[in-house]
Amino acid sequence: MSRLFGSVRARATLAATVVVAIALVAAGTAVLLSLRSNLNDQAGTEAERSAREVAADLSGGASYDRLRLDDDQRPVQVVDATGVLVAASEDLRRISGTGTDVVKPRPPRPTDAAGGATADDHGGDRGDDDGGDGHGGDDKGGDGKGGDDRGKDGRGRGGGEDDDYTSLRPGQIGAEVSFADGSATLDGDTADYRFAAVAVSVQSKGELTVYAGAPLAAEQAAVRTALTVMLTGLPLLLAVVAAVTWRVTRRALRPVEGIRSEMAAITASEDLARRVPVPDTQDEVAGLARTTNETLAALETSVERQRRFVADASHELRSPIASLRTQLEVGVAHPELLDVTGAVEDTVRLQRLAADLLLLARLDAGERPSGTRFDLAALAREEALRRPGVTAHCASAEVVGSRGQLARLLGNLLDNARRHARSRVAVTVRTDGAWAVLEVADDGAGVPAAERERIFERFVRLDEARSRDDGGAGLGLAIARDVARRHGGTLTVGEAAEGGALFTLRLPAPA
């Protein structure tokens, strides 16, 4: 599984497909619920209309046998205040979800001479709904003469009902409607229905409740059709989303593959002059390609500098080693001709060169200076006292860094100035805002403007005719600038007031 989804393309396709699937399922569920709710409301409206039509007939004085109960094949029940079924659709065989499960109304009952029901007859009706002679008169009291079951409130519910209930006036239809879901069997067909219950008050019959149902078959069919369409279309749509995402991601990552393959070729060939292709787009992939090329350029420069450094170091080391070896071989063959002084000088040159190379290697490796706080003016005075002919004019200026590396920097500047000065070398230290400034000036020939950056390169000597013994290896100024940069400062060269060279070191002063 990890290998299957190991690529960015596969993970992006999977993520997009899952997100779209979740969104579609949520949207489909909302649509189905909304559709079902709307169709239920529509069925409820139809059921309410049917119930109110029957209630209107009852309020108009229509008898039970003249009610329109079989129109549109919808189940209808009429229940009196005691919960007894008094009228129902003729073809109704079974029903649930209404006030009563009875499907056949009670048969008509004989009345007494006054038109009312006797108390005994009413009791007989309660004892046996199917007994023709046990009903007496109308169990709701008819004209109110015999056994009035409605009690004092006249609602046919007895006086013990909730006093907050608002009774209807004779001939009035209730404004409130209650709904319920159930099922019914008409003409042998069983189906689900939405039932509406409407109350109506009828003169001489009391309060009745009309239950009318509207079929839910259309709602159920519509929901099933919508669900089928969604279940069929969802996989197809997800397949389209996955295919499109796969192709788009592949197209977007094609430049990345080009960068990768070119980088692999560069690594195999070790040719750092090659560059990766940059797409014409202005997106993140193009930015990656440009950054990669900048990295390759910096790496090429670093490698080339390292190669040149190794070549120059080898060349510089070859001369003193060869000279020292010659002197030692002559000394072995002819002890009387051994130049001990020259051998010592060559050894010292080798020692200094090795120390310079080691320091450069440490600086190139990113060695950070220590955080020691000291006075740059005191360091300048110490280095000046070690070299005859150097004057110091220093004001206190504290800096943070490696005292040893800055001493090496200042020593290289002073040694370089003494080699090129005619008679005078001066070092000054001052502060300039947030900077500590050290200046080394001489009265020599100075540095041409075109060479003022080149002299800081490694193994560079402007005077190629001078001897290596006098001119050194050409590493002093390169080391000085590298040390300055490692301390967050700068080292530049300009023209002194006497016409010679003026080296200016600027280091950040501590807060």
Side-chain angles (χ1 to χ4, degrees), residues 73-88:
Q73 295 295 313
R74 295 179 179 176
V76 178
Q77 286 181 316
V78 180
V79 180
D80 65 11
T82 62
V84 176
L85 181 67
V86 295

Side-chain angles (χ1 to χ4, degrees), residues 436-461:
V437 181
L438 181 146
E439 295 177 337
V440 176
D442 61 68
D443 57 356
V447 180
E451 304 290 344
R452 288 178 181 174
E453 283 299 318
R454 183 169 172 265
I455 62 173
F456 292 106
E457 296 179 4
R458 298 175 182 182
F459 301 105
V460 170
R461 302 183 187 86

